[in-house]
Amino acid sequence: AQSVSQHNHHVILSEAASLELGCNYSYGGTVNLFWYVQYPGQHLQLLLKYFSGDPLVKGIKGFEAEFIKSKFSFNLRKPSVQWSDTAEYFCAVSLYGQNFVFGPGTRLSVLP
Amino acid sequence: GAVVSQHPSRVICKSGTSVKIECRSLDFQATTMFWYRQFPKKSLMLMATSNEGSKATYEQGVEKDKFLINHASLTLSTLTVTSAHPEDSSFYICSARDIQTTGDTQYFGPGTRLTVL
């Protein structure tokens, strides 16, 4: 069965610091990869996704993620975080036509 | 982008009563919708997959007779919590799968906070 792991449970950063959130998955076949964000009191929103092509994917709000097939990873990055990036971040993996599997989430706290 | 709505956003009910939650995809058709529970400071727990025109597929440990799912149209799925008990109090989130317009992507509703007294 597929599984998704996220390296950090809670990350605390100061504003302007760089961010990298780890995501690894266990399936060896072709997968679709996603990062979702849940801001406090809000619903889950799609941040970015990778289906194929350029492994460096750019999403909204300055986020990007890099798919490294050999490492089964899809890490999320942002060069300079803002206080408004405080949220819960979820990595998800799916096989086309099959269920999505979500990681446990990483809580990001950005200190002003 | 694709929008998914849920109604109601909050509901308080007495123990033993039933509550229906609606999930609608507003600008795309979704043959598949999903229902999740989210516990405080925890990830999403998939409860069931709702398929338009057929029976829902429930995850292990989820009581199908307690959590009734109906997906009668390509834009609407409903979750009915029957004979609700306080332990059913939770945040219920639906998502709709958009395959046609944006690739195979899930879009989430805003969630429904259920409190059972």
Side-chain angles (χ1 to χ4, degrees):
Chain A
Q2 295 178 64
S3 67
V4 179
S5 62
Q6 290 182 237
H7 305 166
N8 309 98
H9 177 64
H10 189 191
V11 173
I12 302 173
L13 295 173
S14 298
E15 274 196 316
S18 64
L19 169 72
E20 180 159 1
L21 301 182
C23 171
N24 286 87
Y25 61 94
S26 64
Y27 186 72
T30 301
V31 294
N32 296 330
L33 298 155
F34 306 82
W35 276 97
Y36 287 88
V37 60
Q38 188 173 29
Y39 297 104
Q42 296 189 28
H43 64 285
L44 278 148
Q45 301 171 41
L46 181 66
L47 204 52
L48 48 77
K49 62 185 178 183
Y50 171 80
F51 288 168
S52 63
D54 188 344
L56 185 62
V57 180
K58 294 196 183 297
I60 60 172
K61 303 186 181 185
F63 286 91
E64 65 179 31
E66 185 175 13
F67 169 52
I68 302 179
K69 189 173 182 179
S70 60
K71 295 185 178 180
F72 300 91
S73 70
F74 190 55
N75 292 356
L76 181 71
R77 299 195 293 248
K78 185 171 183 177
S80 175
V81 294
Q82 301 172 312
W83 177 78
S84 58
D85 293 323
T86 295
E88 188 92 20
Y89 292 82
F90 295 92
C91 180
V93 175
S94 81
L95 307 178
Y96 186 85
Q98 297 186 33
N99 284 349
F100 284 54
V101 177
F102 283 85
T106 296
R107 185 153 61 102
L108 172 65
S109 299
V110 180
L111 307 177
Chain B
V3 179
V4 176
S5 70
Q6 262 182 260
H7 179 80
S9 58
R10 287 179 180 271
V11 57
I12 301 172
C13 69
K14 292 183 179 179
S15 186
T17 61
S18 295
V19 172
K20 181 186 280 189
I21 304 170
E22 291 187 351
C23 177
R24 293 181 187 273
S25 56
L26 298 185
D27 49 5
F28 65 99
Q29 293 183 329
T31 54
T32 306
M33 292 184 173
F34 302 93
W35 288 96
Y36 296 87
R37 275 180 85 161
Q38 188 176 33
F39 296 94
K41 299 185 179 180
K42 298 244 171 139
S43 187
L44 301 165
M45 184 194 85
L46 179 65
M47 298 175 64
T49 302
S50 170
N51 301 299
E52 188 266 337
S54 64
K55 290 183 179 180
T57 305
Y58 290 82
E59 296 300 301
Q60 195 170 13
V62 178
E63 298 175 60
K64 60 180 69 175
D65 294 330
K66 181 167 189 61
F67 298 101
L68 300 179
I69 291 172
N70 184 275
H71 193 158
S73 79
L74 288 172
T75 59
L76 173 64
S77 176
T78 60
L79 168 69
T80 301
V81 183
T82 63
S83 186
H85 287 101
E87 58 264 31
D88 298 325
S89 298
S90 191
F91 195 55
Y92 292 87
I93 303 173
C94 76
S95 71
R97 191 171 202 158
D98 179 14
I99 293 177
Q100 293 178 327
T101 58
T102 61
D104 187 12
T105 304
Q106 277 193 52
Y107 294 94
F108 287 83
T112 297
R113 173 73 59 193
L114 171 63
T115 303
V116 184
L117 303 177

